[in-house]
């Protein structure tokens, strides 16, 4: 996941100033959990009381920041970076700042929750098929055209069901039968200079555990691999 978040802030000086001599920005932003970020922007520099003045005064502003993400991230993969900063002096006493922050990280997925959702969809599809069958029985004496319409509707439902199963299946296609189960998984995208060994060291897993969920022999840069992160015995 990569997300750019923008901030527009107005900073008021205690007196009139003539010119901003220098300015810089830093931050103390950090994850307090897998979806929430807090910290401060630190805007500092120096200014002149008049444009012709040789004397400079220093300034520093601390801007509190709180970011709530919709995504749940693996904290070992997160990165927070200021990618754009611009400012303008208005009315000789107000500094307006535009700040853009880039947040990157690998999203975590809960396999058990996805399987439960799939089971609910399957139950709904079964109920729909049973209802279609009952309706057909009730209209068996109706014209053939109505029966044909119901059959076409049933075929459409089967097609939708097949696509849904295929989409979910593609995510879990590398899973093998095992006595061992994991309640939480991460999806990691291989980058330049990544190796199987560096990924195993980063997530503290063995090659055997990685092979349970991935075709290790066909992993390249850009490949998405499934990382089991929480082990729960049956």
């Amino acid at each position: 996941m990569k997300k750019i978040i923008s901030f527009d802030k107005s900073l008021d000086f205690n007196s009139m100033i003539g010119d901003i001599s220098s300015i810089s920005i830093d931050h103390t932003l950090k994850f307090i959990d897998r979806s929430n970020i807090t910290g401060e922007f630190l805007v500092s520099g120096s200014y002149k009381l008049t444009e012709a003045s040789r004397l400079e005064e220093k300034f520093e502003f601390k801007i509190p920041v709180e970011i709530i993400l919709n995504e749940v991230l693996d904290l070992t993969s997160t990165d927070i970076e200021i990618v754009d900063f611009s400012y303008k002096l208005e009315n000789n006493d107000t500094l307006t700042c535009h700040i853009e922050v880039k947040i990157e990280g690998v999203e975590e997925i809960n396999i058990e929750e996805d399987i439960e959702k799939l089971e609910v969809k399957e139950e709904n599809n079964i109920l729909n098929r049973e209802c279609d069958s009952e309706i057909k029985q009730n209209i068996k004496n109706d014209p053939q055209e109505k029966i044909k319409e119901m059959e076409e509707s049933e075929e459409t439902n089967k097609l939708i069901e097949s696509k849904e199963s295929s989409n979910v299946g593609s995510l879990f296609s590398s899973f093998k039968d095992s006595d061992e189960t994991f309640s939480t998984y991460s999806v990691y995208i291989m980058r330049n200079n990544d190796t199987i060994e560096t990924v195993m060291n980063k997530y503290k897993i063995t090659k055997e555990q990685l092979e349970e969920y991935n075709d290790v022999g066909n992993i390249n840069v850009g490949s998405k691999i499934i990382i089991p992160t929480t082990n729960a015995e049956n």
Side-chain angles (χ1 to χ4, degrees):
M1 181 217 78
K2 180 169 70 174
K3 178 173 291 188
I4 302 293
I5 301 178
S6 299
F7 299 86
D8 291 293
K9 299 292 183 180
S10 295
L11 309 175
D12 296 325
F13 287 86
N14 293 327
S15 61
M16 303 292 285
I17 65 175
D19 184 46
I20 299 293
S21 303
S22 65
I23 190 169
S24 63
I25 186 170
D26 202 352
H27 73 87
T28 62
L29 302 182
K30 63 180 181 180
F31 279 85
I32 58 173
D33 57 36
R34 294 182 296 170
S35 296
N36 294 278
I37 301 170
T38 61
E40 295 177 327
F41 291 132
L42 307 175
V43 180
S44 60
S46 59
Y47 66 90
K48 297 178 181 180
L49 292 176
T50 65
E51 293 184 4
S53 175
R54 293 185 178 182
L55 296 177
E56 294 185 352
E57 299 286 341
K58 293 183 178 180
F59 68 87
E60 181 179 76
F61 293 97
K62 295 182 179 180
I63 307 171
V65 178
E66 181 178 3
I67 301 172
I68 301 175
L69 301 175
N70 294 324
E71 299 81 1
V72 176
L73 303 184
D74 173 8
L75 295 183
T76 63
S77 68
T78 55
D79 183 53
I80 304 173
E81 178 185 1
I82 295 176
V83 293
D84 187 39
F85 172 58
S86 59
Y87 66 93
K88 182 180 180 181
L89 182 61
E90 296 184 351
N91 301 322
N92 294 324
D93 64 354
T94 302
L95 190 67
T96 59
C97 300
H98 176 76
I99 307 165
E100 291 186 359
V101 176
K102 180 176 70 173
I103 301 171
E104 289 187 287
V106 176
E107 291 187 50
E108 287 192 352
I109 57 173
N110 191 308
I111 302 301
E112 290 183 347
E113 288 182 0
D114 288 339
I115 292 176
E116 289 176 359
K117 292 177 182 178
L118 179 61
E119 290 175 346
V120 170
K121 287 184 179 180
E122 178 63 22
E123 290 177 359
N124 289 337
N125 287 331
I126 292 173
L127 290 174
N128 289 337
R129 288 197 297 270
E130 290 177 349
C131 289
D132 287 344
S133 177
E134 183 177 351
I135 293 173
K136 283 185 181 181
Q137 182 66 28
N138 291 336
I139 64 167
K140 63 181 180 180
N141 295 325
D142 286 357
Q144 291 296 320
E145 184 175 349
K146 289 187 178 180
I147 296 179
K148 182 178 179 181
E149 289 177 358
M150 296 303 301
E151 290 174 344
E152 290 175 351
S153 175
E154 184 177 6
E155 290 300 322
T156 301
N157 289 338
K158 287 182 179 179
L159 181 60
I160 294 173
E161 176 193 357
S162 176
K163 288 184 178 179
E164 290 176 345
S165 299
S166 175
N167 289 338
V168 177
S170 64
L171 176 61
F172 309 120
S173 60
S174 58
F175 279 42
K176 299 178 181 178
D177 293 333
S178 174
D179 294 333
E180 200 173 29
T181 61
F182 294 84
S183 61
T184 305
Y185 297 80
S186 299
V187 176
Y188 182 77
I189 301 176
M190 295 292 286
R191 306 172 182 174
N192 289 330
N193 301 321
D194 277 346
T195 65
I196 296 299
E197 288 72 21
T198 60
V199 173
M200 290 190 298
N201 291 336
K202 181 175 183 178
Y203 289 95
K204 295 181 174 55
I205 61 174
T206 65
K207 187 174 182 180
E208 288 73 18
Q209 289 173 331
L210 198 62
E211 288 176 337
E212 284 287 332
Y213 304 94
N214 305 275
D215 183 2
V216 176
N218 291 318
I219 293 178
N220 302 300
V221 174
S223 296
K224 294 182 179 180
I225 60 177
I226 296 173
I227 308 293
T229 57
T230 301
N231 193 358
E233 295 183 356
N234 289 330

